[in-house]
Amino acid sequence: GRESNMKEKLRVAICQMETVPDKGENLKKAREMLAEAGMLRADIAVLPEMFNCPYDIRFFAGAAEGEAGDSCRMLAEEAAFHNMVVVGGTIPERDGDRLYNTCFVYDGQGQRLARYRKHHLFDIDIPGQVSFRESRVLSSGMGDRFFMAGGHRFGLAICYDIRFPEFIQQLSMGGAEAIVIPGAFNHVTGPAHWELLARTRAVDNQSYVLMAAPARSRNKGGYQSHGHSMIADPWGTVVATAGEDEAVVVEELDFSLVEKVRRELPLLSGRTKDDPVL
């Protein structure tokens, strides 16, 4: 298979989809967008945070399931059918009496490569603008923070995790050349920080950063995702981006650029013995 031989370039498709309260509709839409990614010859396709339900704590319990559920089965089937790695954004994962915000990753044979449970829960209150408390229904987790694709090491984080620089730096220190971050920033934090954080973490870690968001909802009452799924390269340049609406963003990751940037600006190897150890 193509997993065994290292490829200098990998085609990535970010599927920015709108979510609705009907889980079946979301799975159908995700399947269609993954099929589009497959037709575009993507090596890796990425779905957004909470792709099987709206990003709203009122929906998480109802949409929650384990790995044997419909959402993961769909991800594994599409990965195998299109022979591509599928990063399943996140779903509300039920494990016993706990719910996690979880990213499942499947390889081109439909085998699970990773399961990462969001570590930093999104609890914010900006008076008069936005308030959200994931911790009311979700538990903090961890799990597999790395997976291999096309001979390259990828790191995983979810949304609010990106605001913790040391946490993301553990990924590049652990060998990640690209970091995939499904996220759903809102209409307040999105315009302010989404692109800034994508570019900053790309520069910090000299890695590609892939940000996968839901499209903005046409339902005016619900949580409004900022959208703008994007890819920043290791130099901090935004090389691909969507707007607010549904889109499949395709870009080629060139891993020789990661190597070049790290060679010319040797940050990762430039740590001194006095630097705090992560």
Side-chain angles (χ1 to χ4, degrees):
R2 56 179 171 185
E3 287 306 307
S4 51
N5 26 3
M6 183 177 289
K7 300 172 76 166
E8 189 155 287
K9 297 184 177 176
L10 291 175
R11 275 169 82 78
V12 173
I14 298 179
C15 304
Q16 178 169 293
M17 57 173 276
E18 183 185 350
T19 53
V20 295
D22 182 333
K23 181 156 102 174
E25 283 297 306
N26 294 327
L27 294 187
K28 182 167 168 278
K29 170 58 61 86
R31 212 183 263 280
E32 286 167 3
M33 291 185 96
L34 290 173
E36 188 176 337
M39 279 181 353
L40 294 165
R41 301 190 317 285
D43 298 295
I44 303 170
V46 187
L47 289 168
E49 184 179 25
M50 293 297 180
F51 75 85
N52 72 354
C53 69
Y55 186 76
D56 183 323
I57 58 175
R58 294 170 303 180
F59 290 102
F60 294 165
E65 54 187 66
E67 191 170 10
D70 293 343
S71 300
C72 286
R73 194 162 61 241
M74 181 277 293
L75 295 173
E77 283 172 5
E78 292 302 306
F81 185 79
H82 299 289
N83 186 27
M84 68 184 176
V85 172
V86 171
V87 180
T90 76
I91 62 167
E93 181 203 5
R94 188 180 297 287
D95 186 0
D97 56 359
R98 290 182 171 232
L99 293 183
Y100 297 94
N101 185 346
T102 304
C103 177
F104 288 91
V105 183
Y106 294 90
D107 69 14
Q109 285 71 52
Q111 300 298 307
R112 186 174 100 192
L113 283 175
R115 178 184 67 188
Y116 168 67
R117 293 167 167 173
K118 186 176 187 173
H119 187 62
H120 299 93
L121 297 180
F122 181 55
D123 286 359
I124 67 155
D125 190 11
I126 301 175
Q129 295 193 75
V130 63
S131 178
F132 204 94
R133 294 244 181 284
E134 275 191 334
S135 63
R136 280 189 190 150
V137 291
L138 298 173
S139 297
S140 165
M142 194 63 97
D144 312 308
R145 296 177 65 192
F146 298 95
F147 65 91
M148 295 297 292
H152 296 280
R153 198 154 157 84
F154 284 71
L156 282 175
I158 298 168
C159 202
Y160 201 50
D161 286 334
I162 197 176
R163 292 189 180 272
F164 298 84
E166 334 68 52
F167 189 74
I168 303 300
Q169 196 180 10
Q170 288 168 350
L171 298 173
S172 60
M173 299 287 285
E177 299 166 81
I179 298 168
V180 186
I181 309 178
F185 275 37
N186 57 59
H187 60 291
V188 179
T189 61
H193 299 151
W194 176 259
E195 180 182 325
L196 176 69
L197 285 164
R199 297 180 66 189
T200 303
R201 295 296 163 260
V203 170
D204 286 348
N205 295 283
Q206 303 182 305
S207 304
Y208 279 99
V209 170
L210 287 61
M211 306 275 278
R216 190 177 178 92
S217 172
R218 284 166 297 196
N219 164 19
K220 293 293 171 269
Y223 181 92
Q224 292 299 327
S225 169
H226 175 59
H228 292 86
S229 295
M230 66 175 56
I231 298 172
D233 75 13
W235 194 245
T237 306
V238 174
V239 291
T241 183
E244 292 186 335
D245 300 327
E246 287 194 329
V248 176
V249 179
V250 179
E251 186 62 32
E252 217 162 46
L253 307 186
D254 181 352
F255 290 94
S256 68
L257 180 63
V258 180
E259 196 272 325
K260 176 178 186 286
V261 169
R262 291 179 178 183
R263 185 177 67 246
E264 293 174 357
L265 257 182
L267 294 185
L268 295 174
S269 57
R271 304 176 67 80
T272 75
K273 63 178 175 22
D274 301 322
D275 283 351
V277 176
L278 289 173

